[in-house]
Amino acid sequence: GEGALLATWAPVRLPDGLRFRTGIGRGASRTSAVLGGVDFQRPIRRGKNLRSLAIDWQSGLGMSFGDYTLLTLPVGLTAGVSWTSGTVWLAPWASAGVAADVRLGGAAPAQEFEVGPAFEVGADLSLDQERRFVFRAAAALGERQALSFGLAYGLGRLAR
């Protein structure tokens, strides 16, 4: 992929750490693609103060529909810290894991199933104390290169 615009939603009525995302982007042949998925995140370690390192376990299921259909199952760890000043909250993070990809459709690459490493770095920024809206930027590194920008709603429940 080349890049994407994403929206993430964490419904209050669902368990903490469960999020839905949708978006648009460009696929491998630079044609438009529709993205969607569900993410699940659970804390492994939380520090005693705000600037302590937080570590989360995460997984999900992602889908992309463009020239072909791509289903992705990622599993990994995310580590990050957060800072606040007044109503501003900033949380840079990095993640590492593996992702299993299944490509379906006539235009799909010859290798339909693939498992490989997944690395990302990013940052979340909110300008309100409750973190109702969080601006997100992330870059996937290595074989899975991509850049994304987005807006997340309802992530204030995530204690990171």
Side-chain angles (χ1 to χ4, degrees):
E2 187 176 282
L5 290 173
L6 297 171
T8 304
W9 178 46
V12 175
R13 293 186 177 152
L14 294 179
D16 283 351
L18 186 63
R19 301 176 299 229
F20 297 103
R21 71 177 64 207
T22 186
I24 57 171
R26 294 218 178 265
S29 65
R30 298 185 183 251
T31 59
S32 295
V34 176
L35 316 168
V38 60
D39 300 326
F40 187 70
Q41 176 179 342
R42 297 304 297 164
I44 293 175
R45 178 190 187 281
R46 291 288 181 262
K48 298 203 185 299
N49 62 42
L50 188 62
R51 291 186 180 97
S52 295
L53 182 67
I55 301 174
D56 293 340
W57 170 88
Q58 64 183 26
S59 187
L61 178 62
M63 297 160 277
S64 172
F65 306 97
D67 290 335
Y68 55 90
T69 300
L70 172 64
L71 303 174
T72 300
L73 176 67
V75 177
L77 296 175
T78 299
V81 296
S82 62
W83 294 276
T84 61
S85 178
T87 60
V88 176
W89 173 76
L90 176 66
W93 53 267
S95 70
V98 296
D101 292 330
V102 176
R103 296 171 185 87
L104 306 168
Q111 189 172 1
E112 292 179 350
F113 180 73
E114 186 175 42
V115 177
F119 302 101
E120 291 185 10
V121 294
D124 298 341
L125 171 68
S126 183
L127 303 176
D128 72 302
Q129 204 160 16
E130 292 80 29
R131 293 185 228 155
R132 287 177 293 246
F133 293 97
V134 176
F135 301 99
R136 309 191 101 188
L141 309 172
E143 294 289 320
R144 307 179 68 82
Q145 292 183 9
L147 186 61
S148 67
F149 298 96
L151 180 66
Y153 177 72
L155 296 188
R157 298 178 301 132
L158 293 177
R160 190 170 16 136

